[in-house]
Amino acid sequence: MPESILAPPLLDLGAEPVPGETADGVAAAAHYGDPAAELRAVTAGCGLVDRLWVEHLELRGEDRQRFLHGLVTCDVKSLAPGGGVYGLFTTAQGKLLAEARIEAHADRLLLELPAGLTAPVAEHLGRFVVADRVEITPLPELRALTLLGPEAPRLAAALAGGEPPAARWSHVTASWRDRDTSLFHDGRLGAPAVTVRLPAAEAGELARELVSSGARPAGFAAAECLRVEAGIGRFGADFGGERFPQEVGADEALDFEKGCYLGQEVVARIHYRGKVNHRLAGLVVDGEPPPAGSLVSQDGEECGRSGTAVRSSRLAAAVALAVLHRRAEDGARVEVDGTPARVAELPFAVG
């Protein structure tokens, strides 16, 4: 199992990462020896998370924004440098292909994608290049370090030597050791979050500096607990290609004024004329966190499958995300692989 890039600086501090595996099958640090302290960092201070479970893709060329605009659910064409957006790739039938964080730079678009989807998304985009002046390039060497928690903007400002990105999905340019990088304000991690992207060969040194500046190394477990408590689904962990966008709690990715894109007719028809049969909901389980994919039933009838599940110290319970049939309303009693549970409104009511 490969080490997280945070492992070398942490060895200097006497902490070794505890190996784990994400829902995407990616090897990552589950925690660094004290999961409770790491969770406190991302909820009350600042954690530094090595997000090994994301990949990157770059689009260059004069037509890049117009081209991508026609293939995602969000508005890309109007983005100015420094802007960004969260969007979804859909099929012609309106089903999900991937989620994407998109950064607009003066000379390129940078996409953050779930692990394992860079090649499929690049292939998908490539099928629609006809006379478009656009170049599609995977960036396997790029890594994402995320400052996560209420203190993240302050530490990001120190790194940038100025103001951190203020608006959700925006980014500012920072210079670190004569290398320009961007600080990206991520809006779907459950707390203030600023992601720095650097080649893996250099990211270890930056991680050391951020830790020495006050960020506490935090593993996958703390980041996922925060996300689940906030009721934010993740592609590949809580939903996949069998779902429509309106079923997964990602309404902010949908722009109904932007015009045509692949799958737009179906997505718009659902919005204006119909409704979906499933929705992203929460589960409070009377027991241990259930494995992903566990059967959720109501009155003996299947109503969905569980996704990411964690034990939340702030809720004093095992909680999970699940895409459930709409008949399983908030407050309803259900069973998760035979264990009693209650359907909860999202986000969870964290005290």
Side-chain angles (χ1 to χ4, degrees):
M1 181 175 292
E3 286 185 328
S4 157
I5 56 173
L6 288 181
L10 288 178
L11 289 173
D12 296 342
L13 302 175
E16 295 189 33
V18 176
E21 188 172 291
T22 75
D24 316 292
V26 177
H31 61 84
Y32 294 94
D34 193 342
E38 294 170 28
L39 185 57
R40 287 194 297 272
V42 298
T43 55
C46 182
L48 179 61
V49 184
D50 177 14
R51 293 172 61 233
L52 289 163
W53 51 95
V54 301
E55 299 176 347
H56 299 89
L57 189 69
E58 179 182 83
L59 272 66
R60 290 181 180 266
E62 295 180 23
D63 298 329
R64 62 188 181 278
Q65 289 191 224
R66 180 195 56 76
F67 171 78
L68 187 61
H69 186 82
L71 292 168
V72 290
T73 61
C74 55
D75 180 6
V76 176
K77 190 163 58 176
S78 66
L79 288 178
V85 67
Y86 171 73
L88 302 168
F89 288 97
T90 52
T91 67
Q93 294 74 39
K95 295 292 186 72
L96 295 177
L97 280 172
E99 63 179 350
R101 277 97 160 146
I102 303 169
E103 295 179 25
H105 296 260
D107 58 350
R108 69 193 189 283
L109 294 172
L110 182 62
L111 279 62
E112 179 191 290
L113 300 166
L117 290 185
T118 296
V121 169
E123 181 181 356
H124 171 72
L125 295 177
R127 291 199 296 267
F128 295 94
V129 177
V130 182
D132 306 277
R133 291 163 293 184
V134 59
E135 300 172 4
I136 304 164
T137 307
L139 301 175
E141 76 284 357
L142 205 60
R143 298 285 281 274
L145 295 180
T146 298
L147 292 164
L148 181 61
E151 290 295 306
R154 180 181 63 81
L155 291 182
L159 178 64
E163 291 297 318
R168 283 163 59 93
W169 313 118
S170 68
H171 61 97
V172 298
T173 299
S175 180
W176 179 76
R177 297 194 177 183
D178 298 324
R179 169 182 282 278
D180 285 340
T181 185
S182 66
L183 306 180
F184 178 70
H185 183 165
D186 197 300
R188 285 180 64 85
L189 295 179
V194 179
T195 293
V196 188
R197 310 186 200 279
L198 282 175
E202 302 172 19
E205 284 299 311
L206 175 59
R208 178 182 286 110
E209 289 190 15
L210 293 173
V211 169
S212 65
S213 297
R216 182 182 184 106
F220 179 70
E224 288 290 87
C225 187
L226 194 64
R227 179 180 66 80
V228 171
E229 290 176 345
I232 300 170
R234 183 163 67 84
F235 188 94
D238 304 298
F239 53 85
E242 76 281 8
R243 296 298 174 195
F244 293 107
Q246 288 97 331
E247 295 180 312
V248 301
D251 290 351
E252 67 177 310
L254 307 179
D255 188 323
F256 294 103
E257 304 297 328
K258 60 167 287 186
C260 294
Y261 59 87
L262 186 67
Q264 179 265 344
E265 182 178 353
V266 177
V267 175
R269 186 164 62 244
I270 292 172
H271 177 70
Y272 290 111
R273 299 183 183 177
K275 55 186 176 181
V276 289
N277 289 325
H278 295 83
R279 66 184 179 108
L280 185 70
L283 295 171
V284 180
V285 183
D286 299 345
E288 294 302 310
S294 295
L295 174 68
V296 182
S297 59
Q298 183 181 31
D299 299 325
E301 184 176 353
E302 179 177 348
C303 62
R305 297 275 173 172
S306 67
T308 310
V310 301
R311 177 158 291 283
S312 168
S313 58
R314 295 195 291 174
L315 293 166
V319 296
L321 300 178
V323 177
L324 302 179
H325 193 278
R326 65 185 183 192
R327 68 174 179 273
E329 299 178 346
D330 292 339
R333 297 299 298 182
V334 296
E335 292 187 344
V336 184
D337 275 355
T339 299
R342 172 177 56 85
V343 180
E345 182 181 3
L346 295 177
F348 290 100
V350 177

